[in-house]
Amino acid sequence: MAIISSPKGSNAERSRSSNRRAVMGYIHSAGEMGRAEIARNLSLSTQAVSNIIAELLEDGLLHEKGTRASGRGLPALQYGVNPDGGYAFGIEVRPNAILAALLDMQGKTVFKHRITFKDARPAAVISHVTALRDEMIAAIPSAQDKLLGAGIVMPGPFGTTGLIGQGSDLPEWSEVDPAKLFHEALEIPIMVSNDANASAMAERITGVAQGLSTYAYLYFGTGLGLGLVSQGHLISGAFGNAGEIGHVSVLVNGEYASLESVLSRLSVQRYLQNNGQGSVDFERLTELFSDKDPYLFEWLDTASQALGHATQIIENMFDPQTIIVGGAMPSGVLDHLVANAPLPDLSVSNRLEREQPRLKTGESSRLTATLGAAALVLNQTYTPQFIPVH
């Protein structure tokens, strides 16, 4: 994942920034908290927390939420995240469309829009994105001076790799630095990621991964991607390409095949087209599942096997609290896959003291990655980069 933001500054400045994020994260998770409780949780002095809260109140990121009695003494003043204190802009760039969303500090969607186009080269995409930014500000004027940054989601892999030419590449982008390009166009901090990583982070902000720190996210886009979150931070790899699991070979029905050739939206569309269904979009796939189409359920049988193999690989390599399955696939299809995937016994995740299921269904929407792009920015606001110190 590529990031362009403000300079990091000195160690003291980085420590202060991390403590601010830690305070924001605790308050966001709890809904509201008092100074003493925050200080205990973060092993900070009450005075240090008071100074941080004063800054966050002045910045408009927090607001007072009344008092709460707790034992002896005066009731403690509670603080909560101010929903209108800041906004996160999310952009998803596809080969034929751009989707945009704006989230407030609580992760609520306050603006969304989609445009289609035929030219996905860098100059054309930047022109569309700046126009979407202007349209967003016109719709939500208060966001103009409160943008925390923009998350940009693009198809991976990034750079020139052995996976270029797989059908979802953006033309002329392999030699471009997208973070720099979008930063120059939008003039705000930029985070560039693939769709799986962004969607994984969206689940942590507003979805089924709330309260989890280490999990995996299998994302159904055109292909199949994997987002890995460890201690609240994305594992991106040296060049931002960690999680390209769709190209891993699995054994299905006695033959080896790439995972996404049997477990992806493109896979099911091709299978149904080869069996006379014609063009199958998100809505049509929902209808076919509801009608229990026999060809769709044939595909689901094979795809469920593949998901079981993928589960074993991810669990033994990463040891997550859970694996979340989501993305641009109808919820009924995702639920069926999760319910019918054969979970292997030979896995580090096969243990009795589990608090989470090994597989669970996450968000199912065309906007999953777009909202995830904005969630990348919010997660950075709520997650410290290192352990807080005095």
Side-chain angles (χ1 to χ4, degrees):
M1 178 173 61
I3 300 174
I4 286 188
S5 58
S6 58
K8 290 185 177 180
S10 67
N11 288 337
E13 289 170 336
R14 291 199 297 272
S15 177
R16 176 174 164 272
S17 174
S18 186
N19 286 338
R20 279 172 56 101
R21 293 178 182 184
V23 170
M24 289 291 295
Y26 266 99
I27 294 175
H28 175 256
S29 297
E32 60 181 58
M33 291 185 83
R35 302 181 191 201
E37 188 177 4
I38 296 169
R40 287 194 300 272
N41 278 292
L42 294 178
S43 299
L44 292 169
S45 69
T46 303
Q47 184 59 53
V49 170
S50 295
N51 292 339
I52 292 170
I53 287 178
E55 293 176 1
L56 294 170
L57 288 170
E58 184 177 353
D59 293 342
L61 297 176
L62 295 181
H63 60 184
E64 296 179 354
K65 297 191 68 175
T67 59
R68 184 178 67 189
S70 56
R72 296 181 178 181
L74 295 174
L77 185 59
Q78 302 294 295
Y79 300 93
V81 172
N82 179 11
D84 302 323
Y87 297 90
F89 194 30
I91 294 286
E92 179 183 359
V93 182
R94 297 179 181 176
N96 61 353
I98 297 177
L99 292 81
L102 187 72
L103 303 185
D104 68 13
M105 291 293 292
Q106 296 284 19
K108 178 184 177 182
T109 304
V110 296
F111 171 88
K112 59 183 178 181
H113 193 60
R114 179 180 186 270
I115 61 171
T116 58
F117 56 81
K118 295 182 179 179
D119 186 356
R121 290 175 296 179
V125 167
I126 290 296
S127 177
H128 288 304
V129 167
T130 53
L132 279 168
R133 185 270 316 276
D134 294 343
E135 184 175 344
M136 176 269 294
I137 290 175
I140 313 292
S142 61
Q144 182 165 9
D145 299 321
K146 296 181 180 180
L147 284 176
L148 301 173
I152 311 293
V153 169
M154 309 177 72
F158 296 120
T160 302
T161 75
L163 299 181
I164 291 293
Q166 296 298 314
S168 61
D169 305 333
L170 298 176
E172 301 182 12
W173 281 88
S174 61
E175 300 300 328
V176 170
D177 181 348
K180 180 180 179 181
L181 193 64
F182 283 106
H183 178 65
E184 291 173 348
L186 299 178
E187 298 182 328
I188 54 177
I190 297 293
M191 303 181 70
V192 178
S193 182
N194 61 37
D195 43 18
N197 282 342
S199 300
M201 203 51 67
E203 292 289 353
R204 187 166 190 262
I205 297 297
T206 60
V208 299
Q210 292 181 78
L212 301 181
S213 61
T214 301
Y215 59 93
Y217 183 93
L218 270 175
Y219 174 79
F220 281 85
T222 301
L224 188 73
L226 177 66
L228 299 173
V229 178
S230 178
Q231 300 304 313
H233 298 282
L234 285 166
I235 297 176
S236 300
F239 304 100
N241 292 319
E244 288 291 338
I245 195 171
H247 305 287
V248 171
S249 292
V250 294
L251 183 64
V252 178
N253 295 329
E255 297 182 355
Y256 282 98
S258 70
L259 184 60
E260 70 178 25
S261 71
V262 290
L263 184 67
S264 66
R265 194 173 75 243
L266 183 59
S267 167
V268 68
Q269 288 171 335
R270 286 175 174 170
Y271 189 86
L272 293 173
Q273 287 171 359
N274 290 339
N275 285 281
Q277 287 292 349
S279 179
V280 178
D281 59 11
F282 191 96
E283 286 75 19
R284 179 58 179 154
L285 198 54
T286 302
E287 294 173 1
L288 291 172
F289 182 80
S290 178
D291 294 340
K292 300 189 182 302
D293 178 80
Y295 294 115
L296 173 57
F297 276 75
E298 284 179 6
W299 177 85
L300 283 168
D301 287 343
T302 300
S304 296
Q305 293 181 48
L307 179 56
H309 288 293
T311 298
Q312 184 177 39
I313 293 170
I314 296 166
E315 288 177 339
N316 287 330
M317 291 293 291
F318 183 59
D319 191 22
Q321 290 171 276
T322 188
I323 299 173
I324 301 167
V325 181
M329 187 74 89
S331 58
V333 172
L334 295 180
D335 288 339
H336 183 94
L337 288 169
V338 167
N340 290 277
L343 298 181
D345 292 334
L346 295 176
S347 168
V348 297
S349 294
N350 183 23
R351 57 183 184 272
L352 295 177
E353 68 277 14
R354 294 192 61 85
E355 295 181 357
Q356 295 285 329
R358 290 169 67 179
L359 281 177
K360 65 195 304 184
T361 306
E363 179 67 23
S364 169
S365 166
R366 281 180 165 178
L367 280 173
T368 300
T370 312
L371 298 176
L376 290 170
V377 177
L378 291 182
N379 187 69
Q380 189 178 49
T381 303
Y382 294 130
T383 305
Q385 298 303 302
F386 51 86
I387 298 173
V389 296
H390 294 282

